[in-house]
Amino acid sequence: MHSGIKFVTPNQRHLGLDEAILAKRHQVNGMAKLQNPSRWSGKSRDWTMINEVNLNPEKKEAMRAA
């Protein structure tokens, strides 16, 4: 699982399974918050899908600065 792609595997992302996985996580998280709101002191994780994935973005930024 990778934080940069919202905690799905690269294979799930490549196969296009991430959209359904993230939608299900959002639904389950919302239901849990309704059932026991005292467990959350702030916002929960953002389960929206990301459009662009970059490998080693910090290296790309370093090259731009050079």
Side-chain angles (χ1 to χ4, degrees):
M1 306 281 190
H2 299 271
S3 62
I5 53 175
K6 303 289 183 156
F7 298 96
V8 296
T9 66
N11 193 48
Q12 290 168 329
R13 172 72 186 200
H14 180 72
L15 295 174
L17 303 173
D18 57 333
E19 188 172 2
I21 291 168
L22 295 172
K24 181 66 175 177
R25 288 179 184 170
H26 181 72
Q27 178 188 19
V28 169
N29 188 266
M31 289 173 42
K33 283 178 83 170
L34 287 174
Q35 291 175 355
N36 192 358
S38 63
R39 287 185 64 192
W40 283 265
S41 60
K43 292 183 178 183
S44 62
R45 187 169 283 161
D46 176 13
W47 295 113
T48 57
M49 203 172 121
I50 57 170
N51 294 323
E52 185 177 301
V53 177
N54 293 309
L55 293 176
N56 304 320
E58 63 281 349
K59 288 183 181 180
K60 185 185 282 188
E61 289 298 319
M63 292 184 75
R64 285 185 190 161

